[in-house]
Amino acid sequence: QVNRSTVVKAYMELKAEGLVEARVGSGTVVLPSPARDGVQEKTYVPPLRWNQLESRRAVKSNEQTISNILSVFEKERVISFASGVASEDSYDLELFKKIQTQLLEKYREKIFMPTPVEGCTELKHTIKSYLQQNGINAGVRQIMVTSGSQQSIEFFARLLIEPGDVVLVEEPTYIGAIQAFESYEARIVSIPMDEEGIRLDVLENCLVKYRPKFLYTQPTFHNPTGLTMSMNRRKELLRLAYYYNVPVMEDNPYGELYYEGEKLPALKSLDTNDYVIYVSSFSKTISFSLRVGFVVAGENIINRFTRFKQITDIQTNTHSQYLIHEFIAQGHLKGHLENLRRINKMKRDMMAAQLQRGKIEDMKIYVPGGGYFIWLELPKNIVMSELLKQLGDVGVVIMPGDVFFPKFNVENNYVRLNFSYPKEQDIKNGVEKLIECIVRCSEN
Ligand code: PMP
């Protein structure tokens, strides 16, 4: 039994804290606690069904090949032939350390400040002279710096594609371009290639049949096949574009990475009528992680892109822009590229020779004159899902070719192999394992 004085004492304490109140006629009532003030009785709130709220466009963009590739970089003990970046040992860390320090000394607080949306003026001037050396004459107002060339591709898609518009691409083609065009609901029509690049007879038929919005092409060291368009075809392609009034997006991230022969001129440098938008990047030549790419186009288009950029990410990272600018302006690009070409050529030859030594019947090896990839056509009887499973078990990652084909036209016996990123020893071990797995899969 509780003593009455204890009850009275407890009541007095509750009253002092404002938790109870005596009301005439209705006795003593409990008041809402201060912590619950203003809060409604807890009622059941159903879980929000986010997936039912997603826009049609969001649902269309559910491809995640690129994020899968990039996640491999955090995994250890995996041999990756799937990426598209330079190897870690191609960087002169001392040089980058020096430039980083100089950046702070030279630009001081400016490094922490915004740049114009379309890119920092110093870098745009540097890009202008860099382009001039490649036969492309563009004023600084026709150049825009973007966060990687992926962003330029996306802007171009945003600028031109209405749902249902036909976009012509090479078959196969760069997955990031397919994704960007698909996200704007383009109808992608792909055109086969041969040793000289895109097939112009098929292209012309498609230009007549589809009246496409634009053509996306990678004439030089094409990703994923490594093929390069011949000089004649470049000229003829432009003639067709002019004749049928179709704009061309030239994507050229690998042009500097040639391992023999002559460098062919960019379509943009041959274009006398402003039909070509030129997209390139420092991702493959200097560093992927800095995310600096650029686009060359007419001033009206750059103005539109500037609006898109404001909405998307406002500006490309200031630090990255100045780092790239200083690296090139101080004259380091030439030596760096020579070094990259030397290392990559050696790795390409090593990988190609080892694949050839595998003597796999009915396997076609496309050895490129430049760029980052060897393209393989595997024997027809290989089941890709089985090969990928076996490679997974032995810790080797490759890119199955089907991701480079628009969805309605899946080919399954191609593989893209990157030779720039893996170390020599990894190329040796990884190709050995790949050959073993291919042989095992062909026997099944
Ligand atoms: N185009 C092609 C053909 C590519 O291979 C890549 C990168 N894999 C890009 C564009 C995008 O590169 P970034 O955004 O890094 O400049």
Side-chain angles (χ1 to χ4, degrees):
Q1 228 193 340
V2 185
N3 188 313
R4 181 181 152 79
S5 69
T6 310
V7 174
V8 171
K9 205 169 149 222
Y11 170 74
M12 298 304 275
E13 272 178 27
L14 288 169
K15 197 171 176 203
E17 284 180 36
L19 296 174
V20 293
E21 188 184 61
R23 289 182 187 150
V24 178
S26 49
T28 300
V29 294
V30 177
L31 293 172
S33 78
R36 280 164 55 208
D37 263 359
V39 176
Q40 296 272 317
E41 253 324 275
K42 199 165 165 47
T43 50
Y44 172 71
V45 178
L48 196 53
R49 300 203 194 285
W50 282 100
N51 58 350
Q52 288 176 4
L53 299 175
E54 287 177 352
S55 71
R56 199 161 40 103
R57 187 165 280 170
V59 175
K60 282 204 156 258
S61 314
N62 64 356
E63 238 300 330
Q64 55 177 45
T65 311
I66 293 179
S67 65
N68 291 343
I69 301 172
L70 298 188
S71 68
V72 170
F73 286 90
E74 291 197 338
K75 296 204 174 95
E76 280 172 22
R77 288 193 297 281
V78 163
I79 298 178
S80 177
F81 295 149
S83 79
V85 301
S87 66
E88 286 169 9
D89 52 14
S90 58
Y91 290 92
D92 180 347
L93 286 188
E94 284 309 308
L95 174 61
F96 279 97
K97 195 165 135 194
K98 199 173 103 201
I99 300 175
Q100 293 276 16
T101 311
Q102 287 169 346
L103 282 183
L104 285 174
E105 286 164 2
K106 183 169 172 186
Y107 297 99
R108 305 181 59 82
E109 296 81 2
K110 217 173 158 184
I111 283 295
F112 303 106
M113 294 296 127
T115 69
V117 172
E118 62 275 22
C120 88
T121 310
E122 290 95 330
L123 177 59
K124 289 208 304 175
H125 278 280
T126 302
I127 293 173
K128 179 178 180 285
S129 3
Y130 167 73
L131 286 167
Q132 237 158 14
Q133 290 157 23
N134 289 295
I136 298 173
N137 292 313
V140 281
R141 286 216 285 273
Q142 292 154 351
I143 296 170
M144 177 170 174
V145 180
T146 53
S147 299
S149 52
Q150 183 65 35
Q151 190 170 54
S152 303
I153 296 172
E154 204 273 346
F155 285 175
F156 196 61
R158 205 187 296 190
L159 180 76
L160 295 186
I161 299 173
E162 297 281 5
D165 278 350
V166 169
V167 171
L168 300 181
V169 302
E170 283 135 351
E171 178 187 289
T173 192
Y174 169 51
I175 170 97
I178 297 179
Q179 285 172 15
F181 305 154
E182 276 180 347
S183 74
Y184 286 96
E185 301 176 47
R187 180 172 163 210
I188 299 179
V189 173
S190 51
I191 299 176
M193 306 170 79
D194 62 20
E195 314 288 282
E196 279 188 70
I198 193 165
R199 290 251 317 265
L200 294 185
D201 51 342
V202 185
L203 173 65
E204 184 156 17
N205 285 340
C206 290
L207 289 168
V208 174
K209 184 168 170 196
Y210 296 107
R211 294 268 146 209
K213 206 60 175 285
F214 64 88
L215 163 71
Y216 165 80
T217 176
Q218 300 168 57
T220 310
F221 312 134
H222 174 270
N223 175 9
T225 63
L227 292 170
T228 287
M229 200 184 291
S230 65
M231 185 61 183
N232 275 346
R233 257 189 222 185
R234 286 172 196 243
K235 289 184 181 157
E236 194 54 18
L237 184 145
L238 282 179
R239 193 189 64 75
L240 289 176
Y242 299 154
Y243 188 79
Y244 292 98
N245 277 166
V246 172
V248 177
M249 177 176 5
E250 175 178 25
D251 185 10
N252 186 24
Y254 302 101
E256 295 283 7
L257 298 162
Y258 50 88
Y259 309 135
E260 61 243 330
E262 281 176 27
K263 189 156 127 184
L264 286 171
L267 284 178
K268 181 73 185 162
S269 70
L270 304 170
D271 171 29
T272 45
N273 295 305
D274 250 352
Y275 267 49
V276 178
I277 278 208
Y278 183 81
V279 169
S280 187
S281 168
F282 297 108
S283 285
K284 312 293 167 170
T285 49
I286 302 181
S287 158
F288 178 84
S289 71
L290 295 175
R291 308 301 307 134
V292 179
F294 58 91
V295 53
V296 182
E299 278 179 46
N300 288 344
I301 295 176
I302 297 293
N303 284 342
R304 283 265 179 241
F305 280 18
T306 306
R307 308 245 157 79
F308 297 163
K309 180 100 178 144
Q310 288 177 81
I311 307 167
T312 309
D313 63 355
I314 307 177
Q315 60 147 107
T316 302
N317 180 306
T318 304
H319 205 107
S320 291
Q321 291 191 65
Y322 278 106
L323 181 53
I324 299 273
H325 163 66
E326 275 302 313
F327 187 79
I328 302 175
Q330 290 182 18
H332 301 300
L333 184 59
K334 189 167 174 284
H336 180 69
L337 285 175
E338 281 165 7
N339 192 37
L340 269 188
R341 289 186 199 115
R342 186 181 52 75
I343 300 175
N344 286 346
K345 180 176 164 41
M346 187 261 294
K347 288 182 172 177
R348 175 202 65 175
D349 292 344
M350 196 181 157
M351 185 179 261
Q354 209 183 334
L355 286 165
Q356 269 141 9
R357 275 199 299 276
K359 292 204 182 352
I360 293 175
E361 247 178 75
D362 298 327
M363 180 168 88
K364 188 157 183 203
I365 308 167
Y366 292 83
V367 183
Y372 274 1
F373 310 108
I374 286 182
W375 183 239
L376 287 185
E377 188 176 353
L378 299 181
K380 291 270 180 286
N381 63 345
I382 299 282
V383 177
M384 188 60 75
S385 53
E386 180 54 30
L387 178 66
L388 292 175
K389 190 183 156 305
Q390 292 205 13
L391 286 170
D393 292 344
V394 294
V396 175
V397 190
I398 58 159
M399 282 296 284
D402 60 359
V403 302
F404 302 101
F405 289 79
K407 288 288 169 290
F408 54 86
N409 188 8
V410 174
E411 286 280 344
N412 240 335
N413 64 337
Y414 290 102
V415 164
R416 190 193 75 176
L417 297 179
N418 166 261
F419 52 80
S420 60
Y421 174 72
K423 297 187 172 62
E424 287 162 56
Q425 193 57 39
D426 284 345
I427 292 183
K428 194 172 167 301
N429 295 341
V431 174
E432 212 166 84
K433 289 177 178 172
L434 173 64
I435 289 172
E436 280 167 15
C437 291
I438 295 175
V439 169
R440 220 173 302 133
C441 285
S442 341
E443 285 162 358
N444 286 342

